[in-house]
Amino acid sequence: MRMVDLIDRKKNGKELTEEEIAYFIRGYVAGEIPDYQVSALLMAVCFQGMTSRELTQLTLEMAKSGEMMDLSAIHGCKVDKHSTGGVGDKTTLVIVPIVAACGGKVAKMSGRGLGFTGGTIDKLEAIPGFATQITKRRFFEIVNQAGASVMGQSGNITPADKKLYALRDVTATVDSIPLIASSVMSKKLAAGSDAILLDVTCGSGAFMQSREQAEELAEKMVGIGTDAGKKMTALITNMDVPLGNSVGNILEVKEAIEVLRGKGPEDTREICFSFAVEMLLLSGSGSREECEEKVKDAVESGAALRKLMEIVRLQGGDDSYIQEPERFPKAAYFYEVAAQTSGYVTSMDTKQCGIVSGMLGAGRETMDSELDYTAGLYICKKTGDKVSVGETLVTLYSNSYDRILAAEPVIRSAYKITGEKPEKQPLIYKRITG
Ligand code: URA
């Protein structure tokens, strides 16, 4: 078999066989097929797409390229959740303790920030002492004891995705539906849960810009998971506006704590509570009404917040920060960006908000950059809000004033303020089940 023939066949819109897909993935992971040939194949996939059969085979081959987690040491139905990426997305920090407080089991592997999107592992590591690199044995023990644990993705999971993702990032082949679907689902299948909730984001702060694209991606991923015997639900969510008010590691942890206290921004609350209900439904915890009641009780009784403290403690973190979030360090500098015109915020470039958070120090410029956990944005005015000249649109936080100065014009350009009030958009556009 020759890689050049596979590239040629895909370029001409032909379907690759199971053997060809296995040859390509195994050869690439083994270092036998060079990046330039894989780049050419990825670009051909961007233009020609993939059939359902090719997509399922690619995903399974990628999943099998490394360790397939065996979660049988954890009792009960394990439910996972994955977002295709967003800005201000702190949902995992909220829903994992809620689901565990309601009796669900969450054995979750998460990632670090990627591009303009933040990562759960970076947020958790903003809690002093919290260990995300724990052994599998400890991970299982914590899930069995507390109902949930979140660890960094182990080095052995889906090496094919790691190599392909890095290559896609530099060859303009990230935003291809089959490539995203296989990347996400290979990791989820390898992570071993029985049921998976997918948050498929769409809008200016997501990889999928339109609802049609997001629906197609969601349907493909739900199809792959269902074929692999998993219980699947996907929600198409609005990422045209950052989620909540905070973007940046400590700022987002604080917002998550507020939501677990029954407060916090309305959109974060609504999304998190809906996700928690869907995860409980997937784990067979009752009817929709019963799951909604459980989620409400877990938050109102304080059980979900206590659960977060328990998980933090079990993973070596200092839970006093959860009890008293004012103990978290604050950025050395802050800057309030004031509106220069009056009107309504008609739209926001959410990707720019994510980029600004990175510029302030909340994300990495290179693979080994040190994060400034205090850095980020507190968004006071969002799409649909009325603003007057001089009112604060957003407050920027960083330990570097130079970074704030560089970020200020970029965040300004992310706001469109006009005389017209935009129509309110739903937070969840659609639900798709397997
Ligand atoms: N998230 C992933 O895990 N992979 C992609 O390709 C895009 C978003």
Side-chain angles (χ1 to χ4, degrees), residues 82 84 165 168 179-180 183-184 187 207:
H82 188 91
T84 53
Y165 201 98
R168 286 166 59 211
L179 297 182
I180 296 179
S183 163
V184 169
K187 286 184 284 235
F207 291 121

Side-chain angles (χ1 to χ4, degrees), residues 113-149:
L114 190 71
F116 62 91
T117 64
T120 300
I121 290 300
D122 293 333
K123 294 169 204 181
L124 286 170
E125 287 179 354
I127 303 170
F130 193 102
T132 58
Q133 304 303 315
I134 52 176
T135 63
K136 263 195 305 184
R137 194 159 152 228
R138 184 70 191 133
F139 180 57
F140 294 164
E141 275 170 9
I142 298 174
V143 183
N144 274 330
Q145 184 177 338
S149 176

Side-chain angles (χ1 to χ4, degrees), residues 77-81 91-108 143 146-150 195 197 260 271-285 291 294-299 303-305 307-308 311:
C77 173
K78 278 75 68 180
V79 60
D80 198 352
K81 171 250 167 195
T91 56
T92 297
L93 305 178
V94 181
I95 60 185
V96 166
I98 295 182
V99 172
C102 296
K105 289 282 164 66
V106 191
K108 181 150 177 49
V143 183
S149 176
V150 182
L197 172 68
L260 286 170
I271 284 274
C272 288
F273 297 167
S274 303
F275 286 1
V277 168
E278 292 292 347
M279 287 174 80
L280 289 174
L281 279 170
L282 279 168
S283 37
S285 304
C291 294
K294 283 185 189 185
V295 168
K296 196 163 159 266
D297 282 354
V299 175
L305 186 69
K307 186 55 82 181
L308 176 63
I311 298 166

Side-chain angles (χ1 to χ4, degrees), residues 174-235:
V174 171
D175 57 353
S176 144
I177 289 177
L179 297 182
I180 296 179
S182 53
S183 163
V184 169
M185 288 309 295
S186 61
K187 286 184 284 235
K188 294 292 106 180
L189 297 185
S193 282
D194 310 299
I196 303 159
L197 172 68
L198 296 170
D199 171 17
V200 183
T201 50
C202 123
S204 66
F207 291 121
M208 296 293 102
Q209 302 280 307
S210 75
R211 276 166 64 171
E212 291 72 30
Q213 284 177 317
E215 263 179 53
E216 190 187 334
L217 175 61
E219 266 157 20
K220 292 221 150 82
M221 293 196 291
V222 166
I224 297 169
T226 309
D227 287 348
K230 308 287 178 189
K231 286 171 80 181
M232 301 291 303
T233 299
L235 296 176

